[in-house]
Amino acid sequence: MDRIALTGGTPLNGSIRVSGAKNSALKLQAASLLTAEPLVLTNMPELADTRFMVELLAQLGVEIFWPKGSGRLSMHGETLSSSIAPYDLVRKMRATFNVLGPLLAREGHATVSLPGGCAIGARPVDLHLKAFEAMGADIVIEAGYVKAAALRGLKGARVMFPFASVGATEHAMLAATLARGETVLENAAREPEIVDLADCLKAMGAQIEGAGSSTIHIQGVEKLGGATWNVMPDRIEAGTYACCAAAAGGEVLLTSVVPETLSALLDVLTRAGVRVETGPDWVRIARDPATRLKAVDIDTQPYPGFPTDLQAQVMGLVTLASGASIFKENIFENRFMHAPELRRLGADITVRGSEAVVRGVEHLRGAPVMATDLRASVSLVIAGLMAEGETVISRVYHLDRGFERLEDKLSACGAQIRRIKSGEEG
Ligand code: EPZ
């Protein structure tokens, strides 16, 4: 298994082009199942997760053309050969569960493995299934699989989510595009990735209004056509590099970003004493490495609140800040797994239930640490950039799920970071 070694203490200077958003791309990939015509995604991130999704789509009969390094994924599901998503593919990555709704809408039936829990929380899919039941699907859970059928097609329905779930909102929206009549999603999630998905579906011929607000109206259509769609920039990747620059000091220009989607983080960075400047599609992050960051409090919330996917990164960042930072994680039950690893570098962090207190220390010292999940793994990179000496992060396959060429992007700005390939000596 690969590891990442980095030596802290070097400021970052330069620019980083942000990739297409993983969490948007995965749902856009699922949309290819809704049409017999090609769906082409540009600005497509090449990640372990997007490759898992391609593997599953190919198994369902979608023809895939994705030249390496092209950033252009073409998916053509002219006829589908299967409507079964097996355990082996769904267990690798939860977002593959999102093929259920499109298969159900287009084929009238689907059998998809239950995704199961994951390290950051139980993550049930009850809200997804309730939405499909409201649209007239019969759902049976048997031997770890969800068997869904709507043999005469899905019908429009009013769905009220008790919690604004990102996945359930996207999944219900995908399916509703081909349902008979109107579907209204209430208390829908408002994440920018939902707007990206809705806009792509509209380019394919869907009738959707209100994506990005808490009520979404979808008027079902007979069929959808193909489209070419540019995946939105990854706000979590952008936010992560903003934290890297803030941690190491120096000046980094992030390009190909939508600054509005980063407002909650940029406010926090400004409060911490980081210089933030924004333009139409760029953000500049600067900090004099001789100054000390200030403590900040974080309360994760659905968009436009502070994203849970950036909580670990800010925790890494404030380990050296002056004062105590309080973190409240409201989205997932178990998302502080980075805390014990950050402590190995010398951080002072106390976790009590859904709250963590980080008391800023004077120094961090490099150590061997272990990545425990995707965003936890980059919080170790951020802390490693500030630590004295070398930090070696193992289990970087977590990081490869969601960050494209992270070590190349950071080393281009001067970071001392390298990948140690499996079998190579450190
Ligand atoms: C998406 O997960 C993202 N994943 C997550 O990013 C992100 O952290 C999360 O949204 C919140 O922003 C993808 O887009 C692939 P939710 P999702 O449904 O859709 C509970 C990353 O690191 N819930 O909004 O699964 C659930 O357990 C990942 O890139 C139910 O109870 O998030 C959680 O506590 C991690 N029943 C809360 O809602 C349901 O049916 C929020 O989940 C669905 C969700």
Side-chain angles (χ1 to χ4, degrees), residues 22-23 27 123-124 126-127 165-167 309 331 335 375:
K22 167 184 83 88
N23 286 349
K27 323 305 165 60
R123 302 182 79 183
D126 54 320
L127 304 181
S165 153
V166 176
D309 288 351
I331 309 295
R335 216 174 191 186
R375 310 303 175 187

Side-chain angles (χ1 to χ4, degrees), residues 192-410:
E193 292 75 16
I194 292 167
V195 179
D196 203 34
L197 176 62
D199 288 345
C200 172
L201 290 168
K202 287 200 266 188
M204 294 163 72
Q207 289 185 24
I208 302 173
E209 269 174 37
S213 76
S214 39
T215 307
I216 305 178
H217 291 258
I218 306 129
Q219 191 68 47
V221 295
E222 194 72 23
K223 63 178 186 175
L224 294 178
T228 296
W229 190 255
N230 200 44
V231 180
M232 68 171 282
D234 195 317
R235 64 193 168 99
I236 305 302
E237 190 203 10
T240 300
Y241 289 126
C243 291
C244 289
E251 187 172 311
V252 173
L253 178 72
L254 301 170
T255 63
S256 186
V257 297
V258 184
E260 304 84 86
T261 63
L262 282 165
S263 297
L265 174 76
L266 299 181
D267 285 353
V268 163
L269 291 181
T270 307
R271 271 190 275 131
V274 178
R275 240 180 35 244
V276 175
E277 219 187 309
T278 59
D281 59 355
W282 55 263
V283 173
R284 185 175 289 116
I285 302 291
R287 185 173 77 84
D288 174 355
T291 63
R292 194 171 181 194
L293 287 168
K294 294 190 276 269
V296 284
D297 292 342
I298 297 287
D299 191 25
T300 65
Q301 292 294 342
Y303 192 83
F306 190 91
T308 172
D309 288 351
L310 285 171
Q311 176 258 106
Q313 295 86 322
V314 174
M315 190 176 290
L317 178 65
V318 296
T319 50
L320 285 185
S322 61
S325 302
I326 297 172
F327 286 70
K328 180 103 180 59
E329 170 58 54
N330 299 300
I331 309 295
F332 292 109
E333 313 88 272
N334 190 26
R335 216 174 191 186
F336 288 138
M337 283 175 300
H338 39 285
E341 297 302 310
L342 290 170
R343 278 203 291 261
R344 288 177 57 76
L345 300 173
D348 178 351
I349 306 176
T350 317
V351 176
R352 212 165 283 122
S354 61
E355 218 170 87
V357 180
V358 184
R359 290 182 184 80
V361 293
E362 297 279 337
H363 304 281
L364 296 179
R365 187 168 289 280
V369 287
M370 193 174 76
T372 50
D373 73 64
L374 168 57
R375 310 303 175 187
S377 56
V378 278
S379 78
L380 302 174
V381 171
I382 290 163
L385 288 170
M386 301 186 292
E388 291 161 13
E390 192 178 58
T391 297
V392 179
I393 306 171
S394 57
R395 302 205 176 164
V396 295
Y397 54 83
H398 286 294
L399 196 142
D400 294 333
R401 291 188 49 189
F403 290 92
E404 206 175 34
R405 297 180 297 100
L406 172 121
E407 62 279 17
D408 295 347
K409 289 187 179 188
L410 286 177

